[in-house]
């Protein structure tokens, strides 16, 4: 799933390639991705793109005196830029293509979604705050005013575990499954530690890990072409998706906890005092 660093990189890429150009055609292929109907998709056509913004994991393409095209790529969605789009309209079918946006230059991009769980979402709105997912977002962790005190305020009274709290978009915007694993590894904290139980020193450590992990990931992704961002993300991960590999910090074996539709990865030595965590469906912690 694209998270804050990848969406930030896509924002920069689209700013360079879209701003100042006219949208001449928006072609829906999978109607299910369109979550709004007024204004219609056609309201984007004939308008110049003036800016591209990011809200958490949402991308916002703004047009001159017109609506916004807001996209959430969800778990299996992606954006594919093409310097020259194929001639003729795309054919609806069982393929991954969901939406095509064409510019006056002949260039444009496709939105695709792999797999059977169709969660890719496209909205055409007059204001991004009309999108429910945008309206409920918590603060952006890379914002200038997001300081250690703000994080402490957000976690105070949180009875959830850190892993779940970090992934809650209404608490902190933009962090998902992969980067929550990376942040907790950098902070040397168990994913099952209660968020409200952090000491002042632990809060400072988590804040530093949060900012540093995301900032470094954004810098790695900056300037990378849209088609290579997935590979860039994977190459930079230390623990997420690396079950069975040695921890790059201490050399211990990276372990995994599986859930119904996701999993987390962690290092026992770095994060849990050497104790492997059990599958949450069976037990909290192996004694």
């Amino acid at each position: 799933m694209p998270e804050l660093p990848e969406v930030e990189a896509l924002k920069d890429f689209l700013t360079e390639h879209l701003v100042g150009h006219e949208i001449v055609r928006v072609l829906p292929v999978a109607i299910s991705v369109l979550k709004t109907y007024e204004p219609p998709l056609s309201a984007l056509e004939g308008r110049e793109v003036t800016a591209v913004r990011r809200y958490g994991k949402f991308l916002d393409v703004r047009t001159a005196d017109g609506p916004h095209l807001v996209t959430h790529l969800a778990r299996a969605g992606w954006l594919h830029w093409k310097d020259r789009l194929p001639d003729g309209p795309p054919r609806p079918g069982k393929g991954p293509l969901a939406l095509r946006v064409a510019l006056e230059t002949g260039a444009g991009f496709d939105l695709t979604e792999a797999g059977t769980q169709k969660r890719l979402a496209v909205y055409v709105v007059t204001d991004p705050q009309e999108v429910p997912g945008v309206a409920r977002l918590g603060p952006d962790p890379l914002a200038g005013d997001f300081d250690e005190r703000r994080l402490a305020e957000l976690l105070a009274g949180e009875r959830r575990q850190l892993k779940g709290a970090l992934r809650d978009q209404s608490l902190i915007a933009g962090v998902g499954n992969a980067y929550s694993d990376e942040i907790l590894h950098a902070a040397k904290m168990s994913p099952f530690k209660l968020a409200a139980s952090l000491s002042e020193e632990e809060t400072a450590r988590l804040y530093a890990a949060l900012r540093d992990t995301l900032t470094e990931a954004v810098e790695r992704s900056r300037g990378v072409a849209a088609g290579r961002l997935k590979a860039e993300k994977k190459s930079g991960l230390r623990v997420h998706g690396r079950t069975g590999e040695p921890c790059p910090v201490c050399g211990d074996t990276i372990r995994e906890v599986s859930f119904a539709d996701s999993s987390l990865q962690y290092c026992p030595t770095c994060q849990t005092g050497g104790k492997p965590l059990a599958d949450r469906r069976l037990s909290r912690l192996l004694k």
Side-chain angles (χ1 to χ4, degrees), residues 201-228:
E201 184 276 331
E202 287 173 326
T203 301
R205 187 150 35 101
L206 181 62
Y207 175 78
L210 174 66
R211 294 277 288 205
D212 291 349
T213 298
L214 294 177
T215 299
E216 290 169 7
V218 168
E219 289 304 314
R220 285 197 311 271
S221 300
R222 198 178 301 280
V224 175
R228 292 174 29 229

Side-chain angles (χ1 to χ4, degrees), residues 139-184:
D140 193 291
L142 294 186
D145 60 353
F146 188 89
D147 55 16
E148 189 179 315
R149 180 178 178 180
R150 182 71 174 121
L151 177 62
E153 291 172 348
L154 291 170
L155 296 181
E158 267 291 338
R159 303 308 302 171
R160 288 177 295 177
Q161 298 159 343
L162 280 174
K163 173 73 176 181
L166 288 174
R167 293 184 64 188
D168 183 350
Q169 300 304 294
S170 64
L171 191 72
I172 300 173
V175 178
N177 195 31
Y179 286 109
S180 58
D181 283 352
E182 298 298 300
I183 290 163
L184 291 169

Side-chain angles (χ1 to χ4, degrees), residues 10 13 78 221-230:
L10 284 174
F13 180 88
W78 198 246
S221 300
R222 198 178 301 280
V224 175
R228 292 174 29 229
L229 280 171
K230 287 184 180 181

